[in-house]
């Protein structure tokens, strides 16, 4: 077999075993240590194992092997049993004593010590295999290949778990930063706005009678814009904080949540002449405050985006595997199919503020709440034919509709 | 007729001091403000209150929660440690509607919490509420049967 051939031959094997780990982590090399006092044996081993595509490290004695394992991790160590100086068994015992090489797979090779007691001794020293020479090259290669893969997988896992730990630390840091930002925003951004409102009012009071209609209108516009900014900051904070508190997962009776939300919406319900029908709703597992917010937003939207007829809203649920599929359906103005995804984005508004006021945060919060509960939210709707907002929530054991 | 209501106002924001004075200005009772911009300064004013050269004994105190260095809650705790101010009506003011729990362990009859209003109408309403709170607190018996 010529060198280039053996190299190309190595490719599929290496790739067939492992390519890259999750997150594009390159597969680490898996060096194999070959220990034999005969140079020609080492050469023969190398020829057999070359196709693995891994670094092959030679040691001509047990002593040299020990030196090697001190400084490097090996996927496997192939040990000749019969050697001058430290023999294979003694070398194995010493390798086993060292922390770094305690669990490195050892494979004994022997042409002489084939009797059972030797085999037994080899295994009792922690060998994973005891191979008689002459060996079948393919079999040896296949055996070492198993350990090469194991080594690479272990290394990949090590790298991945380190990265995961780093990512977790980073996440904790950024959560803390977000909280800090939220705190700063809630106080420091609102503070000047309060002043703009209050002093605009004072100006209006002082100039009462002196201002004409236009001037009064300008002052009103200032205070209106300011309170809009106030509520925008409030909503943004709410969005940022959604799901960032301590994780809560308890049995939540959706029925009670919806009843409370409907009671809270008594004013818009009366004003729009809406009919809200609530079917029998189940127990779900989750955070009651977040779920209240979710249903508040959806029901408020159902009441807000109504057409010429009074709103008809229906809340229902049906079981879907381990989840409940909840639906909040209205007979309102509906949503064009091209907007079905966009409406869940932050600050996305489809209508002018004059007609349908709002910051464009409600549905973004809804999506965040549902995703926090490992669920999915979407809308079935056509313009003029109402909207059916659907989401899934994990069922709670013993929950019945 | 009783004299003016002596108010200790602790806020590092001069705009807020101005707005508070404006808000209380519409109430019938005459409120006289004594201002400090830090907790340390407020404690100094209280130490000499009622003494020659000091401010008059306060009938009411308003503390901004968000003070530089010593916070409003720390100031509250420090003030309450002095037996003279155990029953002083204190209103904690905050710019953001969060963390009510800062009043834990405080008697709600003499300590209350209020978020700073943004509209003048709300300022006037807050001033009226604070005045009602002060009067109710002033009528409290001085016995130490403080519940929690």
């Amino acid at each position: 077999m010529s060198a280039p051939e053996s190299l190309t031959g190595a490719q599929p094997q290496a790739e067939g075993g492992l390519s890259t780990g999750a997150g594009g982590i390159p597969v680490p090399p898996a060096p194999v240590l070959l220990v034999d006092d005969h140079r020609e044996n080492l050469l023969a081993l190398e020829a057999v194992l070359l196709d693995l595509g891994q670094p092959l490290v030679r040691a001509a004695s047990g002593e040299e092997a020990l030196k090697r394992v001190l400084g490097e991790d090996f996927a496997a160590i192939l040990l000749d049993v019969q050697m001058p100086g430290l023999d294979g068994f003694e070398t194995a015992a010493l390798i086993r004593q060292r922390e770094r090489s305690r669990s490195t797979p050892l494979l004994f090779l022997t042409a002489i010590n084939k009797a059972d007691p030797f085999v037994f001794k080899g295994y009792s020293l922690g060998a994973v295999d005891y191979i008689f020479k002459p060996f079948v090259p393919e079999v040896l290669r296949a055996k070492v290949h198993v350990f090469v893969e194991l080594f690479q997988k272990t290394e990949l896992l090590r790298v991945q778990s380190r990265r995961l730990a780093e990512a977790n630390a980073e996440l904790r840091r950024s959560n803390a930063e977000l909280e800090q930002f939220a705190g700063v925003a809630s106080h420091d951004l609102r503070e000047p706005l309060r002043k703009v409102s209050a002093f605009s009012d004072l100006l209006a009071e002082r100039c009462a009678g002196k201002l004409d209609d236009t001037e009064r209108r300008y002052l009103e516009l200032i205070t209106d814009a300011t309170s809009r900014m106030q509520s925008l900051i409030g909503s943004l904070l709410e969005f940022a904080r959604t799901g960032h508190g301590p994780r809560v997962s308890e049995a939540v009776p959706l029925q009670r949540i919806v009843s409370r939300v409907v009671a809270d919406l008594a004013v818009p319900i009366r004003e729009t002449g809406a009919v809200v029908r609530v079917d029998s709703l189940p127990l779900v597992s989750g955070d009651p405050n977040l779920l209240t917010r979710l249903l508040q937003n959806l029901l408020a939207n159902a009441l807000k985006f109504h057409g010429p007829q009074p709103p008809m809203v229906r809340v229902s649920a049906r079981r879907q595997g381990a989840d409940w599929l909840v639906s909040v359906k209205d007979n309102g103005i509906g949503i064009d199919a091209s907007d079905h995804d966009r409406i869940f984005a932050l600050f996305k508004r489809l209508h002018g503020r004059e007609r349908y006021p709002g910051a464009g945060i409600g549905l973004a919060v809804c999506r965040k709440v549902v995703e926090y509960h490992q669920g999915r939210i979407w809308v079935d709707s056509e313009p003029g034919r109402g909207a059916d907002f659907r989401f899934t929530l994990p069922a709670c054991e013993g929950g019945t509709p | 007729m009783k004299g003016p209501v002596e108010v200790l106002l602790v806020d590092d924001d001069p705009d807020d001091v101005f707005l508070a004075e404006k808000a209380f200005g519409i109430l019938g009772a005459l409120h006289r403000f004594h201002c400090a911009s830090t907790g340390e300064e407020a404690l100094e004013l209280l130490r000499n209150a009622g003494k020659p050269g000091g401010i008059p004994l306060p009938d009411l105190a308003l503390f901004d929660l968000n003070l530089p260095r010593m916070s409003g809650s720390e100031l509250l705790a420090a003030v309450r440690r002095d037996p003279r101010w155990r029953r002083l009506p204190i209103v904690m003011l905050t710019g953001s509607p969060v963390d009510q729990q800062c009043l834990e362990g405080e008697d709600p009859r003499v300590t209350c919490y209020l978020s700073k209003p943004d509209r003048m109408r709300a300022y006037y309403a807050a001033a009226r509420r604070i005045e009602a709170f002060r009067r109710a607190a002033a009528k409290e018996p001085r016995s130490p049967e403080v519940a929690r």
Side-chain angles (χ1 to χ4, degrees):
Chain A
M1 198 188 273
S2 69
E5 259 178 352
S6 73
L7 274 179
T8 50
Q11 282 315 102
Q13 188 125 24
E15 290 200 352
L18 289 173
S19 52
T20 52
I25 303 167
V27 177
V32 179
L33 180 62
L34 314 174
V35 191
D36 202 309
D37 57 317
H38 289 102
R39 202 177 124 76
E40 60 277 18
N41 287 350
L42 287 171
L43 284 171
L45 279 174
E46 278 179 359
V48 169
L49 300 177
L50 191 67
D51 278 4
L52 293 177
Q54 302 302 332
L56 303 174
V57 178
R58 289 184 194 182
S61 68
E63 290 83 349
E64 198 187 332
L66 287 173
K67 245 179 257 155
R68 288 291 191 170
V69 298
L70 269 184
E72 204 178 340
D73 291 324
F74 291 98
I77 300 171
L78 272 61
L79 263 174
D80 183 24
V81 175
Q82 198 74 34
M83 290 188 292
L86 286 176
D87 70 16
F89 293 144
E90 289 163 334
T91 308
L94 288 168
I95 285 174
R96 279 282 169 264
Q97 275 171 25
R98 300 204 171 141
E99 187 57 44
R100 185 162 195 169
S101 53
R102 183 150 294 161
S103 52
T104 307
L106 295 173
L107 293 87
F108 285 111
L109 293 169
T110 186
I112 303 150
N113 312 79
K114 294 186 179 180
D116 278 352
F118 292 110
V119 177
F120 178 73
K121 188 170 180 197
Y123 282 116
S124 71
L125 280 166
V128 293
D129 214 333
Y130 199 94
I131 301 164
F132 298 144
K133 293 188 211 175
F135 47 78
V136 182
E138 289 75 16
V139 172
L140 182 68
R141 188 159 54 231
K143 284 181 172 177
V144 176
H145 179 68
V146 169
F147 295 108
V148 162
E149 261 200 18
L150 185 69
F151 180 84
Q152 288 175 327
K153 279 182 180 155
T154 311
E155 284 297 302
L156 282 177
L157 273 179
R158 215 199 308 273
V159 173
Q160 276 166 4
S161 71
R162 199 182 57 234
R163 287 192 183 181
L164 206 60
E166 283 166 6
N168 273 336
E170 178 58 33
L171 203 60
R172 268 197 299 279
R173 217 168 16 246
S174 82
N175 273 348
E177 266 172 19
L178 180 74
E179 274 303 301
Q180 203 184 1
F181 166 76
V184 168
S186 74
H187 185 265
D188 299 71
L189 295 186
R190 279 174 165 172
E191 205 52 32
L193 286 174
R194 276 199 316 108
K195 306 294 168 51
V196 177
S197 297
F199 283 99
S200 303
D201 284 348
L202 276 181
L203 190 61
E205 281 175 18
R206 272 193 86 97
C207 301
K210 279 185 266 174
L211 295 182
D212 64 23
D213 284 354
T214 314
E215 288 158 350
R216 250 197 311 279
R217 176 92 188 110
Y218 288 168
L219 269 176
E220 269 169 37
L221 287 176
I222 292 173
T223 40
D224 282 358
T226 313
S227 31
R228 216 160 46 237
M229 188 69 186
Q230 296 269 27
S231 72
L232 264 177
I233 292 176
S235 310
L236 196 58
L237 277 179
E238 185 204 320
F239 177 78
R241 283 185 171 150
T242 300
H244 274 282
R247 199 162 187 98
V248 178
S249 186
E250 54 188 66
V252 182
L254 274 188
Q255 195 86 51
R256 203 179 306 158
I257 300 257
V258 173
S259 305
R260 212 177 302 143
V261 168
V262 169
D264 288 345
L265 292 169
V267 173
I269 288 175
R270 200 174 48 238
E271 282 174 359
T272 54
V275 177
V276 179
R277 185 178 145 192
V278 182
D279 289 3
S280 172
L281 298 177
L283 267 183
V284 294
S285 160
D287 180 329
N289 291 327
L290 292 180
L291 293 175
T292 301
R293 170 60 69 202
L294 167 68
L295 284 150
Q296 249 164 13
N297 289 353
L298 289 179
L299 280 164
N301 276 353
L303 296 172
K304 182 160 95 175
F305 295 101
H306 65 80
Q309 293 95 7
M312 302 268 289
V313 187
R314 183 178 171 186
V315 186
S316 60
R318 69 182 158 85
R319 188 70 185 235
Q320 202 178 56
D323 294 331
W324 284 100
L325 175 63
V326 185
S327 148
V328 178
K329 191 170 164 33
D330 65 50
N331 63 338
I333 56 172
I335 301 150
D336 195 89
S338 63
D339 292 322
H340 284 188
D341 288 331
R342 291 200 297 165
I343 51 171
F344 293 100
L346 194 59
F347 290 130
K348 194 82 221 159
R349 306 176 72 257
L350 300 178
H351 306 279
R353 207 169 47 231
E354 292 289 305
R355 217 164 139 213
Y356 297 102
I361 286 181
L363 286 175
V365 169
C366 288
R367 186 172 66 180
K368 218 169 161 187
V369 170
V370 171
E371 284 175 357
Y372 175 88
H373 289 87
Q374 267 88 48
R376 220 164 61 77
I377 184 167
W378 69 99
V379 66
D380 289 340
S381 180
E382 274 176 58
R385 313 199 61 168
D388 185 0
F389 280 90
R390 291 156 166 253
F391 56 92
T392 59
L393 290 175
C396 189
E397 289 313 308
T400 46
Chain B
M1 175 86 184
K2 204 181 165 289
V5 178
E6 308 292 349
V7 185
L8 173 64
L9 173 60
V10 190
D11 199 321
D12 62 320
D13 185 335
D15 295 345
D16 278 328
V17 173
F18 175 82
L19 289 170
E21 286 175 343
K22 271 271 170 238
F24 279 91
I26 64 147
L27 299 179
L30 179 62
H31 288 73
R32 203 156 63 185
F33 282 85
H34 310 279
C35 301
S37 54
T38 65
E40 291 82 354
E41 217 177 289
L43 290 173
E44 188 58 33
L45 284 182
L46 282 175
R47 201 167 297 129
N48 297 316
K51 294 176 191 161
I55 61 165
L57 288 172
D59 302 302
L60 171 70
L62 308 176
F63 295 166
D64 181 16
L65 203 59
N66 192 40
L67 290 171
R69 294 197 297 279
M70 177 188 265
S71 76
S73 336
E74 285 164 348
L75 173 62
L76 175 68
V79 168
R80 289 292 187 221
R81 270 196 291 276
D82 185 335
R84 285 199 294 166
W85 315 123
R86 286 275 148 79
R87 308 294 311 166
L88 173 67
I90 299 179
V91 179
M92 303 298 291
L93 302 168
T94 169
S96 49
V98 284
D99 48 26
Q100 295 257 5
Q101 68 273 18
C102 62
L103 294 182
E104 219 160 279
E106 281 288 323
D107 181 351
R109 287 172 295 186
V110 290
T111 317
C112 79
Y113 164 101
L114 203 71
S115 58
K116 290 180 183 173
D118 49 355
R119 305 300 301 263
M120 275 325 284
R121 211 178 314 126
Y123 261 103
Y124 299 138
R128 273 192 292 272
R129 279 225 304 283
I130 291 174
E131 182 54 16
F133 161 75
R134 183 194 67 80
R135 285 175 194 220
K139 278 193 211 113
E140 285 288 327
R142 291 200 164 250
S143 65
E145 39 84 43
V146 181
R148 278 186 291 265

